[in-house]
Amino acid sequence: MGGSSRVLAGSLAACGVLVVLPGSALAAEVRIHDVQGVGRVSPLLGQQVSGVPGVVTGIRAAGTSPGFWFQDPEPDDDPRTSEGLFVYTPGEAPAVAVGDVVSVSGTVAEYYAVGEGEDPETTPNQSLTELSGATWQVTGTAPVPAAEPLTPDSVPEAYAPEGELDALPLEPARFALDFYESREHMTVGIADARVVGPTDSYGALTVTSKPEQNAGERGTTTYTGYDRPNSGRLKVEPVGPPVPAANVGDELSGRTEGPLDYSRFGGYLLAATTLGEHRPVGVRPETTRAQAEDELAVATYNVENLAATDEQRKFDRLARGVAENLAAPDVIALEEVQDDTGATDDGVVAAGGTLERFAAAIEAAGGPRYEWRQIDPVDGADGGQPGGNIRVAFLFNPARVSFADRPGGDAGTPVEVVRGESGPELSSSPGRIAPGDEAWRASRKPLAGEFTFRGAPVFVVADHFASKGGDQPMHGRFQPPARESERQRVAQARLVHDFAAELRAADPDANVVVTGDFNDFGFSPALRVLTGDGALSSPAEALPPTERYSYVYEGNAQALDHVLLSPGVGPAEYDVVHVNAEFADQASDHDPQVVRLRPAR
């Protein structure tokens, strides 16, 4: 999960400087809002303070950051200053109880949760102001300050100002990230919270305080643009009651409340001491219709690191999704197919065992007996989980469609468009598009295949573009966040676009389907490169923006997987089949998609 760092002003801390405020005689008179200050970084960073009063509101007894939250029941009148603070007690559960009145002394620090090898001085994550090396006295008990309700009107719509947030003054009435920062460590709550991100493997979920914000029919909050990150999203991670296995659209009925914290995994979060009652709404996995006799169904499915070493349960669940929910498409572009030994880094690159098990599982689930085509990558050259050698691959139903096998395709040989007797052909089928180009460094190479359906040639390109790893987080301290990985995807998109354009240059009416996990949005520069000149178009554009998603990340339903078509394909029917992304129990983290078309001969 990574590490953490607590940043102190070393010389001041070593000197044990007491803080003397104007008009105050002793540092003991410092209150929480003085420690928090009017910005993100405490004005007392690295200084020792003593006798800071408050009431204990929550306890984190385990994990990487044990300690307790306390809050001043006598707030000041400045909306920028938080009245809550966290006391870090490494290695032990703090000897306090909720409701204790405490007087705390310690050193003011800024806590940065960082990844392995990440420098806290340059991390894009925001910090949390806290007290470390603390001692305290319990002087009595008192009512816990009431949770501030987060409502559709209280959290601003605008997300963040531009710039490095640590250096900017807080404007909590204008920006959501400033609003949350001004409540850092204070107890907040959401009534009847709708779940917009399902319970994950770490026992956390995401809710929204703005249920109407880009809401979809199935309860999602949809990400529709870089300037619309959906400010109402808030991660919920309990410090007391366990989180139920909740799906998108479910409700935590009643009060969900606790101190406001921050995580590099999801940004601001509600450390829930009270959790609303889980009320499922009954959102079910979708099933698409079967294609007609004269319709070609082409699907894309990221099967999330599927390997021959996986348990049979994963194969069976994915297989049912293909046979039942996807209604057995004629061609499937698969992403994240691993080699036969999975994440074991042993030099194995063949994936025949993985694909054989998957084809057999689909047949056992009532689907057709699919054949497959793929090209083994060079060991360790295509990114993904170390040792896994993920690649894209084709499954196809030989009873419905035929594959034009042409030798010559290997890991390093580029496929070319050549003129055949009746039109364009591929020099090798399957073949990889420009595998030696720098754009594909440490990334999956696209796989092109030539199929025939009812006498019509159809060219399908399976893609899995470079991941977003290394991009700054949406909720980080640099705004707008830098999208460093985008440059590689734009370069990849140009190569795929140009390949599709070659096919169309040879035959303007060529049936071309470009599909897969593009790791980018329909409004992204990479997708604009693919579709900008009309060489390819997205049938998803016919759907409302709130229905185009295939992935849910930090509570944002977003479109990372796409199907793109050449004009020659003609009318098509497109469907995102929601079977995974919205659910706590997933066979994969992506939803598959299918397009049904009648390709011309």
Side-chain angles (χ1 to χ4, degrees), residues 43 202 208 345 381 410 434 450 534:
Y202 300 104
T208 182
D345 193 359
D410 58 27
E450 187 177 335

Side-chain angles (χ1 to χ4, degrees), residues 37-57:
V38 298
R40 282 178 165 75
V41 176
S42 172
L44 308 181
L45 177 62
Q47 301 185 29
Q48 292 185 350
V49 294
S50 62
V52 182
V55 179
V56 176
T57 58

Side-chain angles (χ1 to χ4, degrees), residues 19-21 26-32 34-35 44 49-53:
V19 179
V20 181
L21 298 178
L26 298 172
E29 297 180 12
V30 170
R31 302 187 78 91
I32 289 175
D34 300 316
V35 176
L44 308 181
V49 294
S50 62
V52 182

Side-chain angles (χ1 to χ4, degrees), residues 243-327:
V243 166
N247 301 325
V248 167
D250 289 357
E251 183 180 272
L252 300 181
S253 180
R255 298 180 303 118
T256 296
E257 58 186 39
L260 189 66
D261 205 355
Y262 179 89
S263 166
R264 70 187 182 98
F265 303 104
Y268 285 99
L269 67 87
L270 197 159
T273 56
T274 301
L275 203 64
E277 179 186 358
H278 177 217
R279 290 192 176 178
V281 298
V283 171
R284 308 295 299 174
E286 292 183 326
T287 299
T288 196
R289 73 168 177 84
Q291 65 270 31
E293 181 68 24
D294 62 344
E295 288 180 312
L296 174 68
V298 181
T300 178
Y301 201 171
N302 183 319
V303 290
E304 194 179 9
N305 290 322
L306 183 67
T309 54
D310 286 332
E311 294 181 358
Q312 187 62 35
R313 179 176 180 270
K314 179 171 182 177
F315 282 94
D316 291 344
R317 291 191 61 193
L318 289 167
R320 287 195 300 273
V322 170
E324 299 173 9
N325 301 90
L326 281 175

Side-chain angles (χ1 to χ4, degrees), residues 94-107:
V96 292
V98 171
D100 281 351
V101 176
V102 291
S103 176
V104 185
S105 301
T107 303

Side-chain angles (χ1 to χ4, degrees), residues 403 439 463 476 488 575 583:
F403 190 86
D463 300 274
Q488 185 176 11
D575 192 8
F583 300 97

